[in-house]
Amino acid sequence: MLDLLIEKIKTDKEYDDNFQKIFVETEITSKTTLLNEGEIANHIYFIKKGCLRLWFNKDGKDITLQFFFENQAVASIDSFLSDKPSMFTIESIEPTIILSLHKDNFARLLQHFPDLKDGFQEIMYRRFSNYAALFLSRIKDTPQERYNDLILNHPEIIKRVPQHYIASYLGITPISLSRIRNRR
Amino acid sequence: MLDLLIEKIKTDKEYDDNFQKIFVETEITSKTTLLNEGEIANHIYFIKKGCLRLWFNKDGKDITLQFFFENQAVASIDSFLSDKPSMFTIESIEPTIILSLHKDNFARLLQHFPDLKDGFQEIMYRRFSNYAALFLSRIKDTPQERYNDLILNHPEIIKRVPQHYIASYLGITPISLSRIRNRR
DNA sequence: TTGGAAAGATAACAATTGTTAAGAAAAGCA
DNA sequence: TGCTTTTCTTAACAATTGTTATCTTTCCAA
């Protein structure tokens, strides 16, 4: 989605000059927090290289909801859209290069490219739908089933993401994941 | 939300005459299914009297997501809005009197009362936000914690809804709920 | 009113996960 | 390279929940 926007801007003379002011490129190390749970989200991030995760705190432990990789847009959407405290933290799990887009600039861009507006609404819709499915799987399926699903449908996550984050994604302890892995 | 719409219509001369054609009142017995998982939702329901629940199937067992009571609007929203197969079933758990509003009439009403449109969008937003919180609690909290929360914040549910549905809402077996109850 | 179905409680056992702890392997950094 | 930290595995025990089965109570409809 943002990739489309970025292309659009780069081919727009007026905006191209300011591109680097609007999309701020930053290099962050592993374990850098971009947004803390409880803060209000002011940016959308676009991952040029690396990997982020979205998680929230439960009694001192973290529960991971989603992983994001190259060419994906990341934000704590609910917070970004409605200025509410974010329910989630966004953090890097690899050295990562991101493009940050500030809320204000985002609003300006939507005004300047009004034909992106509908697309954005549509994308928000789909994102919500995705979240519903994600949550549903979390309720419906056992950790074992969800791990099998990861192997089948998202082997790249298994390969790239440290196991304790995967355990956190599955909602179990690393110890329990270790057991599941050696059960097969 | 629908209650506002209903009021609005009743004070509108042109529409008042057709009210009973638009909002079809139906009396259903307990355990009547209004919408099956997999079907496309064509109606929003408004509960005049009684109680509905929203659930989905997991390996032959049902998992309840939400209960609805008097004066609440109920729909499988994702399906209703985007014509996708419903992820949920809607079923009565008491003899219930509902007002059914068909999708087409709903669209017509929004056109006839355009000032309701923004409010509707806003409500959709809040509904999504609610769902997020609901799902989150389901992931974050133990059945024990969620049961305590029910007692504290929704005693009417405890009183009114049969225990095996509450167990299904908590995501556990009736047996396990029975144990939790006798643990305190 | 009464008989069958539904709802709820209890028990015994199995399966899964969490917790604590300790050690091995791998990765990262000076 | 060598040292420290992080990551992963394994073990033993506790806690929780699921499963199967039985029994009691409640509810509803013929």
Side-chain angles (χ1 to χ4, degrees):
Chain A
M1 176 258 159
L2 269 194
D3 50 344
L4 279 178
L5 183 56
I6 289 172
E7 277 317 302
K8 194 130 191 166
I9 293 164
K10 285 196 168 173
T11 55
D12 183 285
K13 280 162 206 155
E14 188 190 332
Y15 263 85
D16 188 31
D17 300 337
N18 298 313
F19 184 83
Q20 274 141 17
K21 287 183 194 158
I22 296 171
F23 284 88
V24 180
E25 183 168 326
T26 319
E27 225 175 309
I28 56 176
T29 61
S30 186
K31 296 190 184 173
T32 302
T33 297
L34 293 175
L35 174 73
N36 269 302
E37 194 177 332
E39 288 174 6
I40 291 169
N42 289 315
H43 294 86
I44 291 187
Y45 306 103
F46 182 77
I47 304 179
K48 215 170 160 186
K49 171 128 198 55
C51 178
L52 302 178
R53 75 185 178 109
L54 186 84
W55 63 275
F56 64 88
N57 183 286
K58 157 69 176 169
D59 297 339
K61 282 154 214 159
D62 43 294
I63 298 182
T64 300
L65 268 182
Q66 224 177 338
F67 300 107
F68 299 90
F69 302 96
E70 279 80 9
N71 300 321
Q72 281 191 290
V74 185
S76 187
I77 305 211
D78 204 33
S79 173
F80 184 86
L81 288 180
S82 54
D83 289 313
K84 283 187 293 187
S86 170
M87 294 191 282
F88 311 108
T89 293
I90 299 177
E91 190 186 303
S92 60
I93 61 179
E94 286 177 13
T96 299
I97 302 172
I98 52 168
L99 301 178
S100 305
L101 174 60
H102 192 276
K103 201 190 287 193
D104 299 342
N105 284 323
F106 181 72
R108 265 180 229 130
L109 283 171
L110 277 192
Q111 284 195 320
H112 192 260
F113 302 102
D115 51 324
L116 284 175
K117 221 165 187 172
D118 282 356
F120 177 69
Q121 281 292 349
E122 182 59 32
I123 281 158
M124 284 304 93
Y125 242 70
R126 239 182 295 149
R127 180 60 71 97
F128 276 121
S129 207
N130 276 352
Y131 270 111
L134 201 75
F135 278 118
L136 210 61
S137 138
R138 202 142 186 156
I139 292 170
K140 208 171 186 169
D141 305 328
T142 63
Q144 175 82 257
E145 288 168 330
R146 299 186 69 232
Y147 184 68
N148 293 344
D149 178 71
L150 271 191
I151 291 174
L152 263 176
N153 301 320
H154 301 284
E156 77 281 6
I157 292 183
I158 302 277
K159 271 182 210 129
R160 193 159 169 186
V161 175
Q163 268 186 50
H164 61 288
Y165 290 135
I166 292 178
S168 152
Y169 174 82
L170 297 174
I172 55 179
T173 59
I175 292 124
S176 195
L177 174 56
S178 207
R179 283 190 284 232
I180 285 175
R181 284 159 54 81
N182 293 19
R183 207 182 282 157
R184 23 184 44 249
Chain B
M1 175 253 160
L2 268 194
D3 49 345
L4 279 178
L5 183 56
I6 290 172
E7 276 318 301
K8 194 129 191 166
I9 292 164
K10 286 196 166 173
T11 56
D12 181 287
K13 281 163 203 151
E14 189 190 333
Y15 264 86
D16 188 31
D17 301 338
N18 297 312
F19 184 83
Q20 274 141 17
K21 286 183 193 157
I22 296 171
F23 284 88
V24 180
E25 183 167 326
T26 319
E27 225 176 309
I28 56 178
T29 61
S30 185
K31 294 190 185 173
T32 302
T33 297
L34 292 175
L35 173 73
N36 269 303
E37 194 178 332
E39 289 175 4
I40 291 170
N42 289 316
H43 294 87
I44 290 187
Y45 305 103
F46 182 79
I47 304 178
K48 212 169 160 187
K49 170 130 197 53
C51 178
L52 303 178
R53 74 183 178 112
L54 185 82
W55 62 277
F56 63 89
N57 183 287
K58 156 71 176 168
D59 298 340
K61 282 153 214 160
D62 44 293
I63 298 182
T64 300
L65 268 182
Q66 225 176 337
F67 300 107
F68 300 89
F69 302 95
E70 280 79 8
N71 299 321
Q72 281 190 289
V74 185
S76 187
I77 304 209
D78 203 33
S79 173
F80 184 86
L81 289 179
S82 54
D83 288 315
K84 283 188 295 188
S86 171
M87 297 191 282
F88 311 108
T89 293
I90 299 177
E91 191 186 302
S92 60
I93 62 181
E94 286 178 11
T96 298
I97 302 172
I98 51 167
L99 300 178
S100 306
L101 173 60
H102 192 276
K103 202 189 289 195
D104 299 343
N105 285 324
F106 180 71
R108 263 178 230 132
L109 283 171
L110 277 192
Q111 284 195 320
H112 192 260
F113 302 102
D115 51 323
L116 283 176
K117 220 165 189 174
D118 282 355
F120 178 68
Q121 282 292 349
E122 183 59 31
I123 282 156
M124 284 303 95
Y125 242 70
R126 239 182 295 148
R127 180 61 71 98
F128 276 121
S129 208
N130 275 353
Y131 270 112
L134 201 74
F135 277 119
L136 211 60
S137 138
R138 201 138 188 160
I139 291 171
K140 210 169 183 168
D141 306 327
T142 63
Q144 175 81 257
E145 286 167 333
R146 299 186 69 233
Y147 183 68
N148 293 344
D149 178 72
L150 270 191
I151 292 174
L152 263 176
N153 301 319
H154 301 284
E156 77 281 7
I157 292 182
I158 303 275
K159 270 183 210 129
R160 192 159 169 186
V161 175
Q163 267 185 51
H164 62 288
Y165 291 135
I166 291 178
S168 152
Y169 173 82
L170 297 175
I172 55 180
T173 59
I175 294 125
S176 194
L177 174 56
S178 206
R179 282 190 286 231
I180 285 174
R181 284 159 54 82
N182 292 18
R183 207 181 282 156
R184 28 184 40 250

